[in-house]
Structure formats: structure tokens, C-alpha cells
Amino acid sequence: MNKEFVVLVVEDDMMTRNVIVELLRDEGFQAEEADGVRSTLEKFAPGKFKVVVLDKKLGDGLGVDLCHQVIKADPTVRIFLFAGATDEVRLAALAAGAAEVLQKPYDLTKLSFLVKREFRRSTNELEDLTRGAVVN
């Protein structure tokens, strides 16, 4: 896939994080990982990641709070936040800037679909920009 399309997986449970990262890599995506708020903020830079897969509760903070910070740093990044089943949590995640709120347990098929959709959207936007460019 595209080397510029990198996914960051933020999950404090190592086994779950490894499963998601492997799935994404098997699908042909570049995937990096972080285990919490601090490690995410250390890795994160505007434009570095196209998608962040984020758990709602991390060992050193809340995913919704991290979502706010990431969106503030890079409004173009798409965040898929895994949250509980309550509407209150899902609405808080959407209000924080999450593009999608997924219910636990992890639905890896849906996650794969969403990441592929974002890749296609990203690729189409680049193609549209290229087609519309004026060369002097």
C-alpha cells in the first residue's frame, strides 16, 4: 500500500494491540503502535498518521481525552475509537473528534473495512488534487 498511509494503534493491552497491528500489516498497511497517552504523544506529529485506532481506556489516561489532543494537533487525522456500548460514551467520543466509534469486543472485520475505506478516500483525494493541478 501507500508508504504515506500509516496507522497508529493505541491500546494498552499488548495482546490486543499485537492482533490489530498484525491484521493491518497483513492487509498491507504500515502500522505503528503505542501503549498509552504518553507514548502516543511522543510518537505523534501532524501529518505522520492518517488513522489512529484508539481504545477508550488506557493505562495512563482516557482515549477521549487523547482524541481531543490528537485532533487539536492534526485535524486531518481520522480516529477510530473503541468504546463501550453506552450512548453517553459514544457521543463523548464523537464530540471529541472521533470519526468512528466502534463497540467492544473488537470487530476486526469492521476495523479492516474502515481503514481500507480511509485509504481509498485518501488516495482519491490525492488523485483529485493531481488532476486539478495547473502546470505553467
Side-chain angles (χ1 to χ4, degrees):
M1 296 259 171
N2 188 323
K3 290 187 182 223
E4 294 176 12
F5 191 91
V6 183
V7 180
L8 177 62
V9 177
V10 185
E11 167 62 69
D12 57 339
D13 180 76
M14 185 175 63
M15 283 184 61
T16 303
R17 187 174 65 245
N18 288 342
V19 167
I20 296 170
V21 167
E22 278 303 308
L23 166 82
L24 293 169
R25 288 179 179 160
D26 287 347
E27 296 283 346
F29 294 105
Q30 285 192 307
E32 293 189 24
E33 54 190 281
D35 63 0
V37 173
R38 185 171 20 160
S39 61
T40 299
L41 295 176
E42 288 170 359
K43 287 182 177 239
F44 194 83
K48 183 176 181 181
F49 301 103
K50 298 294 184 189
V51 171
V52 175
V53 176
L54 179 59
D55 192 19
K56 77 167 184 159
K57 188 175 177 189
L58 302 163
D60 61 350
L62 296 175
V64 171
D65 295 336
L66 181 56
C67 184
H68 275 292
Q69 292 176 286
V70 168
I71 291 292
K72 186 175 181 181
D74 183 357
T76 66
V77 72
R78 304 289 285 179
I79 297 179
F80 302 151
L81 192 134
F82 281 96
T86 67
D87 284 340
E88 181 180 338
V89 172
R90 294 205 316 259
L91 290 174
L94 291 170
E100 295 282 345
V101 180
L102 304 166
Q103 206 168 331
K104 282 189 167 184
Y106 290 94
D107 181 345
L108 297 178
T109 303
K110 185 172 185 177
L111 177 61
S112 174
F113 169 81
L114 291 171
V115 172
K116 287 175 186 175
R117 183 182 71 185
E118 286 306 312
F119 175 73
R120 283 190 305 273
R121 185 182 67 78
S122 173
T123 304
N124 288 340
E125 285 179 4
L126 288 174
E127 288 174 2
D128 288 346
L129 287 173
T130 304
R131 274 189 231 124
V134 177
V135 179
N136 292 328

